[in-house]
PDB file of all heavy atoms in Angstrom:
ATOM      1  N   ALA A1122      19.004 173.111 127.279  1.00  0.00           N
ATOM      2  CA  ALA A1122      17.575 173.433 127.383  1.00  0.00           C
ATOM      3  C   ALA A1122      16.901 172.533 128.421  1.00  0.00           C
ATOM      4  O   ALA A1122      16.078 173.005 129.219  1.00  0.00           O
ATOM      5  CB  ALA A1122      16.900 173.285 126.023  1.00  0.00           C
ATOM      6  N   LEU A1123      17.259 171.254 128.418  1.00  0.00           N
ATOM      7  CA  LEU A1123      16.685 170.338 129.410  1.00  0.00           C
ATOM      8  C   LEU A1123      17.129 170.715 130.820  1.00  0.00           C
ATOM      9  O   LEU A1123      16.320 170.714 131.750  1.00  0.00           O
ATOM     10  CB  LEU A1123      17.081 168.893 129.107  1.00  0.00           C
ATOM     11  CG  LEU A1123      16.537 168.276 127.821  1.00  0.00           C
ATOM     12  CD1 LEU A1123      17.019 166.838 127.682  1.00  0.00           C
ATOM     13  CD2 LEU A1123      15.023 168.353 127.751  1.00  0.00           C
ATOM     14  N   SER A1124      18.401 171.041 130.979  1.00  0.00           N
ATOM     15  CA  SER A1124      18.896 171.390 132.314  1.00  0.00           C
ATOM     16  C   SER A1124      18.263 172.683 132.824  1.00  0.00           C
ATOM     17  O   SER A1124      18.102 172.864 134.029  1.00  0.00           O
ATOM     18  CB  SER A1124      20.423 171.482 132.330  1.00  0.00           C
ATOM     19  OG  SER A1124      20.856 172.624 131.643  1.00  0.00           O
ATOM     20  N   GLN A1125      17.883 173.573 131.908  1.00  0.00           N
ATOM     21  CA  GLN A1125      17.196 174.807 132.297  1.00  0.00           C
ATOM     22  C   GLN A1125      15.692 174.582 132.503  1.00  0.00           C
ATOM     23  O   GLN A1125      14.976 175.514 132.834  1.00  0.00           O
ATOM     24  CB  GLN A1125      17.393 175.891 131.229  1.00  0.00           C
ATOM     25  CG  GLN A1125      18.794 176.431 131.134  1.00  0.00           C
ATOM     26  CD  GLN A1125      18.862 177.552 130.110  1.00  0.00           C
ATOM     27  OE1 GLN A1125      18.062 178.480 130.131  1.00  0.00           O
ATOM     28  NE2 GLN A1125      19.839 177.458 129.204  1.00  0.00           N
ATOM     29  N   GLN A1126      15.252 173.345 132.285  1.00  0.00           N
ATOM     30  CA  GLN A1126      13.833 172.990 132.435  1.00  0.00           C
ATOM     31  C   GLN A1126      12.937 173.803 131.499  1.00  0.00           C
ATOM     32  O   GLN A1126      11.825 174.193 131.865  1.00  0.00           O
ATOM     33  CB  GLN A1126      13.381 173.174 133.895  1.00  0.00           C
ATOM     34  CG  GLN A1126      14.083 172.268 134.883  1.00  0.00           C
ATOM     35  CD  GLN A1126      13.587 170.830 134.737  1.00  0.00           C
ATOM     36  OE1 GLN A1126      12.410 170.553 134.871  1.00  0.00           O
ATOM     37  NE2 GLN A1126      14.503 169.914 134.455  1.00  0.00           N
ATOM     38  N   LEU A1127      13.411 174.029 130.277  1.00  0.00           N
ATOM     39  CA  LEU A1127      12.626 174.775 129.296  1.00  0.00           C
ATOM     40  C   LEU A1127      11.535 173.870 128.737  1.00  0.00           C
ATOM     41  O   LEU A1127      11.818 172.887 128.064  1.00  0.00           O
ATOM     42  CB  LEU A1127      13.521 175.305 128.177  1.00  0.00           C
ATOM     43  CG  LEU A1127      14.620 176.266 128.606  1.00  0.00           C
ATOM     44  CD1 LEU A1127      15.470 176.685 127.412  1.00  0.00           C
ATOM     45  CD2 LEU A1127      14.029 177.488 129.302  1.00  0.00           C
ATOM     46  N   ARG A1128      10.303 174.195 129.035  1.00  0.00           N
ATOM     47  CA  ARG A1128       9.157 173.365 128.649  1.00  0.00           C
ATOM     48  C   ARG A1128       8.345 174.002 127.523  1.00  0.00           C
ATOM     49  O   ARG A1128       7.162 173.756 127.411  1.00  0.00           O
ATOM     50  CB  ARG A1128       8.261 173.128 129.853  1.00  0.00           C
ATOM     51  CG  ARG A1128       8.911 172.306 130.928  1.00  0.00           C
ATOM     52  CD  ARG A1128       7.999 172.203 132.137  1.00  0.00           C
ATOM     53  NE  ARG A1128       8.637 171.475 133.193  1.00  0.00           N
ATOM     54  CZ  ARG A1128       8.520 170.172 133.395  1.00  0.00           C
ATOM     55  NH1 ARG A1128       7.769 169.450 132.623  1.00  0.00           N
ATOM     56  NH2 ARG A1128       9.156 169.596 134.387  1.00  0.00           N
ATOM     57  N   ASP A1129       8.978 174.788 126.704  1.00  0.00           N
ATOM     58  CA  ASP A1129       8.311 175.476 125.604  1.00  0.00           C
ATOM     59  C   ASP A1129       8.380 174.602 124.353  1.00  0.00           C
ATOM     60  O   ASP A1129       9.419 174.530 123.698  1.00  0.00           O
ATOM     61  CB  ASP A1129       8.986 176.830 125.372  1.00  0.00           C
ATOM     62  CG  ASP A1129       8.389 177.612 124.226  1.00  0.00           C
ATOM     63  OD1 ASP A1129       7.352 177.184 123.670  1.00  0.00           O
ATOM     64  OD2 ASP A1129       8.959 178.655 123.885  1.00  0.00           O
ATOM     65  N   LEU A1130       7.265 173.969 124.012  1.00  0.00           N
ATOM     66  CA  LEU A1130       7.258 173.065 122.863  1.00  0.00           C
ATOM     67  C   LEU A1130       7.593 173.796 121.569  1.00  0.00           C
ATOM     68  O   LEU A1130       8.201 173.215 120.673  1.00  0.00           O
ATOM     69  CB  LEU A1130       5.907 172.348 122.753  1.00  0.00           C
ATOM     70  CG  LEU A1130       5.850 171.178 121.786  1.00  0.00           C
ATOM     71  CD1 LEU A1130       6.937 170.147 122.072  1.00  0.00           C
ATOM     72  CD2 LEU A1130       4.483 170.533 121.832  1.00  0.00           C
ATOM     73  N   GLU A1131       7.237 175.058 121.484  1.00  0.00           N
ATOM     74  CA  GLU A1131       7.583 175.853 120.290  1.00  0.00           C
ATOM     75  C   GLU A1131       9.099 175.892 120.077  1.00  0.00           C
ATOM     76  O   GLU A1131       9.560 175.854 118.941  1.00  0.00           O
ATOM     77  CB  GLU A1131       7.023 177.266 120.398  1.00  0.00           C
ATOM     78  CG  GLU A1131       5.518 177.341 120.389  1.00  0.00           C
ATOM     79  CD  GLU A1131       4.883 176.777 119.134  1.00  0.00           C
ATOM     80  OE1 GLU A1131       5.399 177.042 118.029  1.00  0.00           O
ATOM     81  OE2 GLU A1131       3.877 176.062 119.249  1.00  0.00           O
ATOM     82  N   LEU A1132       9.840 175.957 121.142  1.00  0.00           N
ATOM     83  CA  LEU A1132      11.291 175.954 121.052  1.00  0.00           C
ATOM     84  C   LEU A1132      11.790 174.644 120.443  1.00  0.00           C
ATOM     85  O   LEU A1132      12.615 174.639 119.530  1.00  0.00           O
ATOM     86  CB  LEU A1132      11.896 176.158 122.451  1.00  0.00           C
ATOM     87  CG  LEU A1132      13.410 176.058 122.563  1.00  0.00           C
ATOM     88  CD1 LEU A1132      14.080 177.229 121.852  1.00  0.00           C
ATOM     89  CD2 LEU A1132      13.806 176.028 124.039  1.00  0.00           C
ATOM     90  N   TYR A1133      11.253 173.536 120.923  1.00  0.00           N
ATOM     91  CA  TYR A1133      11.702 172.229 120.438  1.00  0.00           C
ATOM     92  C   TYR A1133      11.212 171.940 119.021  1.00  0.00           C
ATOM     93  O   TYR A1133      11.832 171.175 118.287  1.00  0.00           O
ATOM     94  CB  TYR A1133      11.272 171.133 121.411  1.00  0.00           C
ATOM     95  CG  TYR A1133      11.918 171.310 122.765  1.00  0.00           C
ATOM     96  CD1 TYR A1133      11.201 171.813 123.841  1.00  0.00           C
ATOM     97  CD2 TYR A1133      13.267 171.018 122.959  1.00  0.00           C
ATOM     98  CE1 TYR A1133      11.798 172.002 125.078  1.00  0.00           C
ATOM     99  CE2 TYR A1133      13.877 171.204 124.198  1.00  0.00           C
ATOM    100  CZ  TYR A1133      13.130 171.699 125.245  1.00  0.00           C
ATOM    101  OH  TYR A1133      13.727 171.880 126.463  1.00  0.00           O
ATOM    102  N   ARG A1134      10.137 172.579 118.622  1.00  0.00           N
ATOM    103  CA  ARG A1134       9.670 172.413 117.243  1.00  0.00           C
ATOM    104  C   ARG A1134      10.713 172.920 116.254  1.00  0.00           C
ATOM    105  O   ARG A1134      10.872 172.361 115.171  1.00  0.00           O
ATOM    106  CB  ARG A1134       8.338 173.130 117.039  1.00  0.00           C
ATOM    107  CG  ARG A1134       7.195 172.406 117.688  1.00  0.00           C
ATOM    108  CD  ARG A1134       5.897 173.144 117.503  1.00  0.00           C
ATOM    109  NE  ARG A1134       4.823 172.403 118.139  1.00  0.00           N
ATOM    110  CZ  ARG A1134       3.588 172.810 118.219  1.00  0.00           C
ATOM    111  NH1 ARG A1134       3.234 173.974 117.701  1.00  0.00           N
ATOM    112  NH2 ARG A1134       2.676 172.079 118.811  1.00  0.00           N
ATOM    113  N   LEU A1135      11.428 173.975 116.630  1.00  0.00           N
ATOM    114  CA  LEU A1135      12.524 174.454 115.779  1.00  0.00           C
ATOM    115  C   LEU A1135      13.559 173.353 115.590  1.00  0.00           C
ATOM    116  O   LEU A1135      14.078 173.158 114.488  1.00  0.00           O
ATOM    117  CB  LEU A1135      13.179 175.679 116.397  1.00  0.00           C
ATOM    118  CG  LEU A1135      12.346 176.946 116.473  1.00  0.00           C
ATOM    119  CD1 LEU A1135      13.061 177.992 117.314  1.00  0.00           C
ATOM    120  CD2 LEU A1135      12.052 177.470 115.079  1.00  0.00           C
ATOM    121  N   LEU A1136      13.845 172.657 116.659  1.00  0.00           N
ATOM    122  CA  LEU A1136      14.800 171.546 116.606  1.00  0.00           C
ATOM    123  C   LEU A1136      14.304 170.457 115.659  1.00  0.00           C
ATOM    124  O   LEU A1136      15.040 169.960 114.809  1.00  0.00           O
ATOM    125  CB  LEU A1136      15.000 170.985 118.016  1.00  0.00           C
ATOM    126  CG  LEU A1136      15.748 169.664 118.146  1.00  0.00           C
ATOM    127  CD1 LEU A1136      17.209 169.833 117.785  1.00  0.00           C
ATOM    128  CD2 LEU A1136      15.611 169.136 119.569  1.00  0.00           C
ATOM    129  N   PHE A1137      13.018 170.106 115.784  1.00  0.00           N
ATOM    130  CA  PHE A1137      12.475 169.009 114.979  1.00  0.00           C
ATOM    131  C   PHE A1137      12.415 169.341 113.486  1.00  0.00           C
ATOM    132  O   PHE A1137      12.403 168.445 112.657  1.00  0.00           O
ATOM    133  CB  PHE A1137      11.099 168.601 115.487  1.00  0.00           C
ATOM    134  CG  PHE A1137      11.102 168.086 116.899  1.00  0.00           C
ATOM    135  CD1 PHE A1137      10.065 168.387 117.759  1.00  0.00           C
ATOM    136  CD2 PHE A1137      12.144 167.323 117.387  1.00  0.00           C
ATOM    137  CE1 PHE A1137      10.050 167.923 119.066  1.00  0.00           C
ATOM    138  CE2 PHE A1137      12.158 166.846 118.690  1.00  0.00           C
ATOM    139  CZ  PHE A1137      11.112 167.149 119.527  1.00  0.00           C
ATOM    140  N   TRP A1138      12.386 170.629 113.150  1.00  0.00           N
ATOM    141  CA  TRP A1138      12.373 171.018 111.736  1.00  0.00           C
ATOM    142  C   TRP A1138      13.772 171.293 111.192  1.00  0.00           C
ATOM    143  O   TRP A1138      13.909 171.638 110.021  1.00  0.00           O
ATOM    144  CB  TRP A1138      11.495 172.248 111.522  1.00  0.00           C
ATOM    145  CG  TRP A1138      10.040 171.916 111.458  1.00  0.00           C
ATOM    146  CD1 TRP A1138       9.086 172.333 112.316  1.00  0.00           C
ATOM    147  CD2 TRP A1138       9.376 171.095 110.488  1.00  0.00           C
ATOM    148  NE1 TRP A1138       7.868 171.815 111.949  1.00  0.00           N
ATOM    149  CE2 TRP A1138       8.014 171.059 110.827  1.00  0.00           C
ATOM    150  CE3 TRP A1138       9.797 170.380 109.369  1.00  0.00           C
ATOM    151  CZ2 TRP A1138       7.072 170.344 110.105  1.00  0.00           C
ATOM    152  CZ3 TRP A1138       8.857 169.664 108.641  1.00  0.00           C
ATOM    153  CH2 TRP A1138       7.517 169.652 109.003  1.00  0.00           C
ATOM    154  N   ASN A1139      14.802 171.130 112.010  1.00  0.00           N
ATOM    155  CA  ASN A1139      16.167 171.370 111.540  1.00  0.00           C
ATOM    156  C   ASN A1139      16.502 170.299 110.502  1.00  0.00           C
ATOM    157  O   ASN A1139      16.596 169.110 110.820  1.00  0.00           O
ATOM    158  CB  ASN A1139      17.149 171.334 112.711  1.00  0.00           C
ATOM    159  CG  ASN A1139      18.549 171.696 112.291  1.00  0.00           C
ATOM    160  OD1 ASN A1139      19.050 171.226 111.273  1.00  0.00           O
ATOM    161  ND2 ASN A1139      19.196 172.529 113.087  1.00  0.00           N
ATOM    162  N   ASN A1140      16.687 170.717 109.260  1.00  0.00           N
ATOM    163  CA  ASN A1140      16.876 169.749 108.170  1.00  0.00           C
ATOM    164  C   ASN A1140      18.246 169.089 108.153  1.00  0.00           C
ATOM    165  O   ASN A1140      18.501 168.221 107.325  1.00  0.00           O
ATOM    166  CB  ASN A1140      16.560 170.381 106.816  1.00  0.00           C
ATOM    167  CG  ASN A1140      17.460 171.546 106.487  1.00  0.00           C
ATOM    168  OD1 ASN A1140      18.414 171.830 107.191  1.00  0.00           O
ATOM    169  ND2 ASN A1140      17.146 172.240 105.410  1.00  0.00           N
ATOM    170  N   SER A1141      19.126 169.468 109.066  1.00  0.00           N
ATOM    171  CA  SER A1141      20.423 168.795 109.133  1.00  0.00           C
ATOM    172  C   SER A1141      20.332 167.501 109.949  1.00  0.00           C
ATOM    173  O   SER A1141      21.256 166.687 109.922  1.00  0.00           O
ATOM    174  CB  SER A1141      21.486 169.716 109.738  1.00  0.00           C
ATOM    175  OG  SER A1141      21.298 169.871 111.129  1.00  0.00           O
ATOM    176  N   LEU A1142      19.224 167.318 110.646  1.00  0.00           N
ATOM    177  CA  LEU A1142      19.059 166.127 111.487  1.00  0.00           C
ATOM    178  C   LEU A1142      18.324 165.035 110.724  1.00  0.00           C
ATOM    179  O   LEU A1142      17.331 165.295 110.035  1.00  0.00           O
ATOM    180  CB  LEU A1142      18.289 166.477 112.758  1.00  0.00           C
ATOM    181  CG  LEU A1142      18.953 167.502 113.672  1.00  0.00           C
ATOM    182  CD1 LEU A1142      18.011 167.880 114.815  1.00  0.00           C
ATOM    183  CD2 LEU A1142      20.268 166.977 114.210  1.00  0.00           C
ATOM    184  N   GLY A1143      18.803 163.811 110.881  1.00  0.00           N
ATOM    185  CA  GLY A1143      18.145 162.668 110.262  1.00  0.00           C
ATOM    186  C   GLY A1143      17.087 162.085 111.180  1.00  0.00           C
ATOM    187  O   GLY A1143      16.946 162.490 112.343  1.00  0.00           O
ATOM    188  N   PRO A1144      16.340 161.117 110.681  1.00  0.00           N
ATOM    189  CA  PRO A1144      15.263 160.521 111.473  1.00  0.00           C
ATOM    190  C   PRO A1144      15.726 159.948 112.813  1.00  0.00           C
ATOM    191  O   PRO A1144      15.048 160.123 113.827  1.00  0.00           O
ATOM    192  CB  PRO A1144      14.722 159.412 110.572  1.00  0.00           C
ATOM    193  CG  PRO A1144      15.133 159.774 109.205  1.00  0.00           C
ATOM    194  CD  PRO A1144      16.392 160.567 109.331  1.00  0.00           C
ATOM    195  N   GLU A1145      16.882 159.288 112.831  1.00  0.00           N
ATOM    196  CA  GLU A1145      17.365 158.698 114.082  1.00  0.00           C
ATOM    197  C   GLU A1145      17.654 159.763 115.121  1.00  0.00           C
ATOM    198  O   GLU A1145      17.351 159.602 116.304  1.00  0.00           O
ATOM    199  CB  GLU A1145      18.633 157.852 113.843  1.00  0.00           C
ATOM    200  CG  GLU A1145      18.469 156.713 112.874  1.00  0.00           C
ATOM    201  CD  GLU A1145      18.613 157.146 111.416  1.00  0.00           C
ATOM    202  OE1 GLU A1145      19.146 158.235 111.136  1.00  0.00           O
ATOM    203  OE2 GLU A1145      18.161 156.388 110.535  1.00  0.00           O
ATOM    204  N   GLU A1146      18.228 160.861 114.666  1.00  0.00           N
ATOM    205  CA  GLU A1146      18.546 161.962 115.586  1.00  0.00           C
ATOM    206  C   GLU A1146      17.273 162.634 116.095  1.00  0.00           C
ATOM    207  O   GLU A1146      17.161 162.944 117.282  1.00  0.00           O
ATOM    208  CB  GLU A1146      19.456 162.970 114.886  1.00  0.00           C
ATOM    209  CG  GLU A1146      20.811 162.375 114.542  1.00  0.00           C
ATOM    210  CD  GLU A1146      21.537 163.108 113.441  1.00  0.00           C
ATOM    211  OE1 GLU A1146      20.895 163.727 112.571  1.00  0.00           O
ATOM    212  OE2 GLU A1146      22.786 163.051 113.447  1.00  0.00           O
TER     213      GLU A1146
END
Side-chain angles (χ1 to χ4, degrees):
L1123 294 180
S1124 72
Q1125 290 183 50
Q1126 296 287 302
L1127 299 178
R1128 294 176 183 267
D1129 179 7
L1130 192 54
E1131 294 300 318
L1132 175 68
Y1133 297 104
R1134 286 179 180 176
L1135 293 171
L1136 169 69
F1137 298 142
W1138 280 117
N1139 185 315
N1140 62 7
S1141 73
L1142 298 173
E1145 301 83 17
E1146 295 159 332

